[in-house]
Structures are given as structure tokens and as C-alpha cells.
Amino acid sequence: AVSDWLGCLFVGVEYSGKINQWDIQTGKMIATLEGHEGSISRLAISEQRGLLFSGSSDGTVGQWDVQTGQRTATLKGHEGEILSLAISEQRGLLFGGSWDRIIEQWDVQTGQRT
């Protein structure tokens, strides 16, 4: 996921469950976000809210504050690996698809399923 607003690139290190943050200008890694028990399968970013979302093989979606690098929530609802993530900035919703063949929907502000 790329954030032009922050000038950085987020890359999931698939098998480690970590996400590396890179500065686009310098090409240097500036942070590593940790917190998933499974590998990272998808990333999505909400620049309006300054949030990064990471889907994992552990069936969870991590919500991260991109400025602090802190995990602010764990979104649950899936029983399989997260295969897709999409954000509706206008509606403030995150959608996630999984191997469980279900599309979940979360409110980005509260982290609650809707």
C-alpha cells in the first residue's frame, strides 16, 4: 500500500506477519509493524484517517495508526485467510473478503462490524 500523503510505502513480509514501512524519498526502511500471528496477505490504506489495514492468514484484520506505527484494533469476523481488503473513504467502511466466502464490513472509526 502506498501513501502519497505520508510519502511512504508499506510492504507485508508475507511469512513473518510483519509489515515494513519504507520512505519513498530515501528508499530506507523506517519502521516495522508487528502483531499478526499469520502471514500478511493484503494491505489497504485510508489516507483520510491515517490508518493502515492488514489482512492475515490468521483471519484477522489489523488496524494501524500510520504516524505512530501502533496497532489500534484487531478486526475479527472471518474464519479464513483474508484475500481482499477495500476501503470506502466516503462511507468510512472497510470491506474484507476471505477464504470463508464471506464479505465482512467494518466501520473504520469504531472497528465494529456493520
Side-chain angles (χ1 to χ4, degrees), residues 77-81 97-104:
H78 283 295
E79 295 181 18
E81 178 177 354
S98 169
W99 275 109
D100 60 15
R101 301 173 69 183
I102 296 171
I103 297 174
E104 293 287 355

Side-chain angles (χ1 to χ4, degrees), residues 10-13 17-21 31-33 40 43 52 54 64:
F10 295 91
V11 178
V13 182
K18 298 177 183 177
I19 303 162
N20 290 333
Q21 181 180 358
T32 299
L33 313 179
I40 304 299
L43 294 172
L52 174 72
S54 55
W64 308 83

Side-chain angles (χ1 to χ4, degrees), residues 13-30:
V13 182
E14 188 175 340
Y15 298 107
S16 71
K18 298 177 183 177
I19 303 162
N20 290 333
Q21 181 180 358
W22 298 83
D23 184 295
I24 293 172
Q25 296 287 335
T26 66
K28 294 183 180 181
M29 189 172 68
I30 54 177

Side-chain angles (χ1 to χ4, degrees), residues 21-80:
Q21 181 180 358
W22 298 83
D23 184 295
I24 293 172
Q25 296 287 335
T26 66
K28 294 183 180 181
M29 189 172 68
I30 54 177
T32 299
L33 313 179
E34 300 182 48
H36 280 292
E37 295 191 18
S39 60
I40 304 299
S41 54
R42 296 293 177 262
L43 294 172
I45 194 161
S46 169
E47 288 192 297
Q48 288 181 1
R49 292 169 176 80
L51 298 172
L52 174 72
F53 296 92
S54 55
S56 174
S57 64
D58 64 16
T60 66
V61 175
Q63 177 180 298
W64 308 83
D65 181 309
V66 295
Q67 292 194 324
T68 66
Q70 297 298 308
R71 188 171 181 156
T72 56
T74 300
L75 311 180
K76 296 181 180 180
H78 283 295
E79 295 181 18

